[in-house]
Amino acid sequence: MQLASHRTVLAGIAIGFCLMAADAGAQARPPSGSERAGESSQVFTRAVVRSFFEEPDGRSYVRLKLLPKAKLPFTVQTFRVVDRALLAGLSEGSSVKFVSRYIDGENTVTSIHAAAECQRFRPCD
């Protein structure tokens, strides 16, 4: 009786591996219409502005303290800014939402705007 139950378990595991292998070999789905046009939905990350600085070669940077919802607990990271005009109206300590991409080997902010400060122990959009 015990040998039969072990065979059943092993058969179930074998079927699971076969299904995983079949899924791994499946073709990637074609991009949807919005992805084809280069318009993927933007995911904003919340942060607090710590500082701004500019390199001698003219590249602008912003240091942002990411909020825990960003899955990095209170991490401060430096981001290159595509256009210095994006930082207009922001000051150190401002609460912001931003979008970044990895461009030319650097984390780069492509969109940033002021946002209402998150209240402790309350959902923040």
Side-chain angles (χ1 to χ4, degrees), residues 70-105:
K71 297 184 182 177
L72 299 170
F74 291 112
T75 302
V76 177
Q77 291 187 344
T78 303
F79 293 87
R80 183 176 176 199
V81 180
V82 174
D83 183 10
R84 181 84 174 143
L86 291 173
L87 303 176
L90 298 177
S91 61
E92 292 182 13
S94 297
S95 185
V96 296
K97 286 184 178 181
F98 72 98
V99 175
S100 67
R101 301 184 108 179
Y102 192 72
I103 301 172
D104 295 331

Side-chain angles (χ1 to χ4, degrees), residues 39-119:
E39 298 176 21
S40 61
S41 63
Q42 293 185 344
V43 177
F44 286 93
T45 303
R46 287 189 159 274
V48 175
V49 176
R50 285 292 168 226
S51 62
F52 308 101
F53 65 94
E54 197 166 318
E55 292 284 318
D57 61 359
R59 292 185 293 181
S60 298
Y61 291 88
V62 61
R63 295 194 67 209
L64 299 170
K65 180 179 178 182
L66 304 179
L67 298 184
K69 190 172 183 175
K71 297 184 182 177
L72 299 170
F74 291 112
T75 302
V76 177
Q77 291 187 344
T78 303
F79 293 87
R80 183 176 176 199
V81 180
V82 174
D83 183 10
R84 181 84 174 143
L86 291 173
L87 303 176
L90 298 177
S91 61
E92 292 182 13
S94 297
S95 185
V96 296
K97 286 184 178 181
F98 72 98
V99 175
S100 67
R101 301 184 108 179
Y102 192 72
I103 301 172
D104 295 331
E106 293 183 294
N107 291 325
T108 306
V109 171
T110 57
S111 173
I112 188 168
H113 62 273
E117 187 175 341
C118 291
Q119 298 299 317

